Amino acid sequence: MSNAYDEAFKKSIDDPEGFWGEAAEDCHWYKKWDKVLDDSNKPFYRWFVGGEINTCYNALDYHVDNGIGDQVALIYDSPVTDTIKKYTYTELRDEVAKFAGVLAAQGAAKGDRVIIYMPMIPEAAIAMLACARIGAVHSVVFGGFAAKELATRINDAKPKVIVSASCGVEGKKVIPYKPLLDGAIEMAETKPEHCIVFQRPMETASMIAGRDIDWNDAMAKAEPHDCVPVAATDPLYILYTSGTTGQPKGVVRDNGGHVVALKWTMKAIYDIDQGDVFWAASDVGWVVGHSYIVYAPLFKGATTILFEGKPVGTPDAGVFWRIISEHKVKIQFTAPTAFRAIKREDPEGEFIRKYDLSNFKILFLAGERSDPDTIQWSEKNLGVPVIDHWWQTETGWAICANCMGLHHFPVRYGSPTKSVPGWNVQVVDPECRPVKAGDIGALVVKLPLPPGTLPTLWNNDDGYVKAYLEEFPGYYKTADAGYIDEEGYVYVMSRTDDIINVAGHRLSTGAMEEVLSDHPDVAECAVLGVEDKLKGQIPVGFMVLKAGVTKANDEIIKEVVQMVRERIGPVAAFKTATVVKRLPKTRSGKILRGTIQKIADNKDYKAPATIDDPATLGEMEEALSSIGYAKSRK
Ligand code: COA
Ligand code: AMP
């Protein structure tokens, strides 16, 4: 017998236009679309062509105009500054309209880019929504990135305005943001006309006359700005994410498909209705923060929580349960690493039992593979379903999930369950031939991708085709490998490129290798993601030094660690490196990364037939055990 999930899935694949056209009726349009899906320019597909919409109207004004203006839209809960602040839909709409006026007064208009480099404060969400209100394209840069990464994004997006804050508060540390911003602008080839800076009480930033504007001063003088209708296909935001080189990819999200798909997911995947409280414990700098702290809960008329803190240490491993209890959270969404951190500090779940969690219904996990231990610990201690779901910055919402608003399938550990309606996920071999159920291959999605996904990369259509569409014609390459079992459960095993996942943060080892190679004493290097009990993976660097280097190895290691911190940022968590005589390679000179990885993770391995010198593997074991990996951990 079929269930609501089966029916929705079938319709979404057999009749995508009917399926998404119906979902779009639930959104506010200034002008309805001429065509739900335009496939006249393959492989570029566009949704809701001819439609006019405003994302901010759908997130805020729509609810005020429909009588729920007094309902709480956003709760800012910041244990690190001892603050809880609530905004109703009317209050948030008014703040956003005023900040939209501030941006417009600085000359930002439809199509202009605005970079937002901010910590987890309500002003970050206000700035994003204000851009959407005037049709400007925001690009949020995560605070844990260094000035150089910010400069790369400034060069690519060419923003008219940058919005920032004087500092972030990371656990017990205050991190000044303004010197990083100033440094990035100095490095960048394109300079913004203005920076709007929110001064926080714990750190006052010095301002550059003529360029920098104080957020509060500007808001005091601002005229509220109304929503500007934009084409459904106009870009809403650019979000840079790690690619296979040091150059990040500018993932583009358009307006129409994004509103439609995200609003639909709130009920179908998360079982959220208007008025429910939804909490994505992530950061606005990541896609999870874009989609599920800011946009989707507001499209749905729910209450969203913006949390400035960590799962542990702010002040303790009970902070998640305090927030869930105090704000009556129905659904929480976070990365498994957050739960591993809590489990490490509170293995018996004693903090959990101190709070009334009766409103809490489901925990969703994503961002990295959910290890069965973490899921089982959470199920046992929370007594609610724990749902793993799989997605990427590029996709904007879940590719695979247990769609809790449609049908609750039995959980299979290690699987994010089934393809979400809209996603025709398949497994293929290198020649793009389908493989048998249970066989591992490349996880791909048959085109067209559903609405709300990436239509292209910013100013880089060729890069988009090359990175995602070329290898498997007719399909989107997820760059994840895995398999699908007989019953349609999908298993996501590993990346097929150089991306690693560190505490749910996506990083490129290739980008780190570029930094290490820049050290004057390094002849060649490799950076690998090695298993880590807390963060899932952490990067470890292996360096071969140039002949005749006299500097001590420890000194060089310290220097490269500092270089990665300065050029990529603390979020890379690059703290471990070692010097080796040579790297294991094939006879054609390719570094045997897979084999090194297995040695590091203490897994069984065989010397590949193509290896140049098998003795290098023993040398690698020694090097790894000297820094606490490989055999030493047995
Ligand atoms: N601004 C500035 N610096 C930041 C930052 C930010 N927004 N976010 C992180 N950093 C810094 C940290 O201070 C730390 O610096 P350090 O090397 O000086 O200590 C470094 O980047 C690494 O941070 P993080 O990976 O967060 O490690 P942590 O040890 O501080 O915390 C966890 C570990 C597991 C508690 C934490 O990563 C966490 O809560 N993860 C949740 C997962 C998540 O939000 N994923 C997003 C996708 S869903
Ligand atoms: P990001 O773009 O930062 O969201 O990272 C996307 C990548 O994280 C995916 O391509 C996967 O490799 C990994 N990932 C995210 N969610 C999951 C999940 N539920 N299971 C396995 N891997 C995941």
Side-chain angles (χ1 to χ4, degrees):
M1 215 178 63
S2 78
N3 55 53
Y5 162 83
D6 293 331
E7 282 163 26
F9 182 76
K10 187 169 176 339
K11 176 153 188 191
S12 75
I13 302 301
D14 295 349
D15 176 19
E17 293 203 68
F19 185 84
W20 292 112
E22 205 173 288
E25 297 291 347
D26 195 25
C27 309
H28 170 272
W29 297 85
Y30 297 105
K31 175 178 172 289
K32 288 236 171 116
W33 51 94
D34 300 327
K35 214 167 173 344
V36 175
L37 174 65
D38 177 3
D39 59 2
S40 58
N41 184 28
K42 286 178 186 153
F44 297 91
Y45 295 84
R46 300 311 307 253
W47 291 92
F48 305 107
V49 172
E52 282 180 22
I53 195 165
N54 183 280
T55 293
C56 180
Y57 186 87
N58 275 280
L60 301 174
D61 305 56
Y62 177 84
H63 304 301
V64 177
D65 294 350
N66 282 286
I68 60 160
D70 291 339
Q71 188 201 296
V72 175
L74 184 144
I75 303 173
Y76 167 53
D77 192 311
S78 168
V80 292
T81 59
D82 213 8
T83 313
I84 294 177
K85 189 170 173 189
K86 298 183 183 180
Y87 295 79
T88 64
Y89 270 95
T90 304
E91 286 165 346
L92 191 58
R93 193 258 332 248
D94 291 347
E95 287 293 293
V96 168
K98 258 201 290 174
F99 194 67
V102 170
L103 289 173
Q106 301 316 318
K110 188 160 142 177
D112 288 334
R113 273 81 57 216
V114 174
I115 280 192
I116 300 173
Y117 185 60
M118 292 183 105
M120 283 291 285
I121 53 177
E123 287 73 16
I126 290 170
M128 291 165 75
L129 290 158
C131 289
R133 195 170 187 85
I134 60 170
V137 181
H138 63 69
S139 185
V140 183
V141 179
F142 178 63
F145 283 122
K148 186 161 178 296
E149 288 285 317
L150 179 55
T152 311
R153 288 152 173 79
I154 295 174
N155 282 336
D156 197 63
K158 303 192 179 16
K160 192 160 227 170
V161 176
I162 299 187
V163 187
S164 190
S166 56
C167 66
V169 183
E170 262 294 291
K172 294 185 176 59
K173 292 176 291 188
V174 171
I175 304 198
Y177 273 33
K178 188 64 176 18
L180 296 173
L181 173 63
D182 290 341
I185 296 176
E186 209 173 292
M187 267 180 242
E189 285 147 26
T190 340
K191 318 277 179 196
E193 286 170 22
H194 292 289
C195 296
I196 302 166
V197 181
F198 184 78
Q199 297 278 16
R200 304 188 75 186
M202 51 296 272
E203 168 85 22
T204 309
S206 63
M207 305 286 267
I208 296 180
R211 189 196 75 184
D212 297 346
I213 295 160
D214 181 276
W215 172 293
N216 285 323
D217 292 350
M219 285 292 263
K221 290 186 241 145
E223 286 293 323
H225 201 295
D226 215 345
C227 295
V228 174
V230 299
T233 50
D234 278 343
L236 167 69
Y237 70 76
I238 310 166
L239 179 57
Y240 289 91
T241 189
S242 302
T244 40
T245 64
Q247 204 60 25
K249 295 173 178 159
V251 168
V252 173
R253 196 85 61 215
D254 66 9
N255 278 275
H258 179 250
V259 175
V260 173
L262 258 58
K263 188 168 187 184
W264 175 85
T265 63
M266 285 309 283
K267 181 66 189 172
I269 299 181
Y270 300 103
D271 199 21
I272 282 280
D273 290 300
Q274 183 220 305
D276 287 341
V277 184
F278 182 87
W279 176 20
S282 176
D283 188 289
V284 289
W286 307 115
V287 67
V288 173
H290 280 62
S291 295
Y292 291 106
I293 295 174
V294 181
Y295 287 116
L298 298 179
F299 294 152
K300 191 66 186 174
T303 299
T304 185
I305 296 196
L306 192 133
F307 168 61
E308 188 182 32
K310 297 254 172 185
V312 294
T314 62
D316 53 40
V319 67
F320 273 21
W321 328 126
R322 194 267 298 155
I323 291 179
I324 289 174
S325 166
E326 189 167 340
H327 305 306
K328 301 194 169 29
V329 171
K330 178 176 172 186
I331 305 291
Q332 193 202 25
F333 172 0
T334 192
T337 189
F339 270 72
R340 288 197 296 268
I342 294 171
K343 187 172 89 173
R344 193 165 73 167
E345 298 232 332
D346 181 19
E348 301 307 320
E350 281 162 21
F351 276 110
I352 298 176
R353 286 178 271 288
K354 290 189 187 159
Y355 295 93
D356 169 12
L357 302 184
S358 52
N359 289 288
F360 187 39
K361 298 292 177 242
I362 311 168
L363 169 67
F364 281 86
L365 298 174
E368 56 176 325
R369 190 171 170 272
S370 279
D371 52 292
D373 268 4
T374 303
I375 298 190
Q376 282 159 353
W377 183 88
S378 312
E379 284 175 336
K380 180 172 141 235
N381 285 287
L382 290 168
V384 298
V386 179
I387 306 298
D388 178 18
H389 59 330
W390 167 52
W391 50 302
Q392 312 180 312
T393 305
E394 288 85 344
T395 68
W397 52 285
I399 309 167
C400 287
N402 210 333
C403 292
M404 297 299 276
L406 294 174
H407 184 80
H408 183 182
F409 285 98
V411 167
R412 292 201 181 152
Y413 298 120
S415 166
T417 317
K418 304 195 180 201
S419 302
V420 173
W423 296 92
N424 189 349
V425 180
Q426 303 188 12
V427 184
V428 294
D429 70 11
E431 275 73 49
C432 201
R433 290 174 307 215
V435 302
K436 284 201 314 294
D439 282 0
I440 293 186
L443 285 163
V444 293
V445 183
K446 191 155 186 340
L447 297 176
L449 294 180
T453 54
L454 82 169
T456 189
L457 293 175
W458 182 248
N459 276 342
N460 191 3
D461 286 349
D462 287 349
Y464 168 67
V465 173
K466 220 166 151 212
Y468 303 106
L469 309 180
E470 216 167 64
E471 192 170 336
F472 304 107
Y475 296 88
Y476 164 80
K477 171 174 109 170
T478 65
D480 279 306
Y483 64 94
I484 305 181
D485 73 11
E486 304 271 358
E487 283 160 76
Y489 280 74
V490 177
Y491 292 77
V492 184
M493 313 297 288
S494 60
R495 289 284 302 197
T496 56
D497 55 13
D498 74 327
I499 300 292
I500 57 169
N501 221 306
V502 183
H505 307 141
R506 169 170 163 175
L507 295 158
S508 150
T509 54
M512 295 185 219
E513 287 176 5
E514 282 177 25
V515 177
L516 264 55
S517 309
D518 257 4
H519 189 286
D521 297 332
V522 172
E524 76 176 329
C525 66
V527 176
L528 296 170
V530 172
E531 274 177 16
D532 182 78
K533 280 205 172 69
L534 174 66
K535 298 197 176 192
Q537 285 183 301
I538 52 158
V540 174
F542 304 91
M543 300 177 287
V544 178
L545 301 184
K546 289 180 183 159
V549 170
T550 49
K551 202 182 259 181
N553 289 354
D554 283 356
E555 202 54 36
I556 295 171
I557 291 168
K558 252 197 235 144
E559 286 168 2
V560 293
V561 166
Q562 190 55 26
M563 280 167 73
V564 174
R565 202 175 167 88
E566 275 166 16
R567 296 202 198 170
I568 297 179
V571 67
F574 181 81
K575 299 202 164 143
T576 312
T578 185
V579 171
V580 291
K581 277 205 283 285
R582 48 199 182 146
L583 291 163
K585 287 187 184 172
T586 60
R587 279 187 288 276
S588 59
K590 233 173 122 212
I591 298 172
L592 288 164
R593 288 162 199 280
T595 314
I596 306 177
Q597 178 113 36
K598 284 198 177 121
I599 301 175
D601 292 341
N602 218 355
K603 295 203 169 114
D604 291 339
Y605 70 93
K606 263 202 267 169
T610 53
I611 193 165
D612 183 39
D613 180 356
T616 49
L617 295 179
E619 291 166 21
M620 209 58 190
E621 276 189 20
E622 248 170 63
L624 276 160
S625 64
S626 74
I627 51 170
Y629 291 94
K631 287 211 166 136
S632 69
R633 295 190 305 165
K634 265 194 180 148

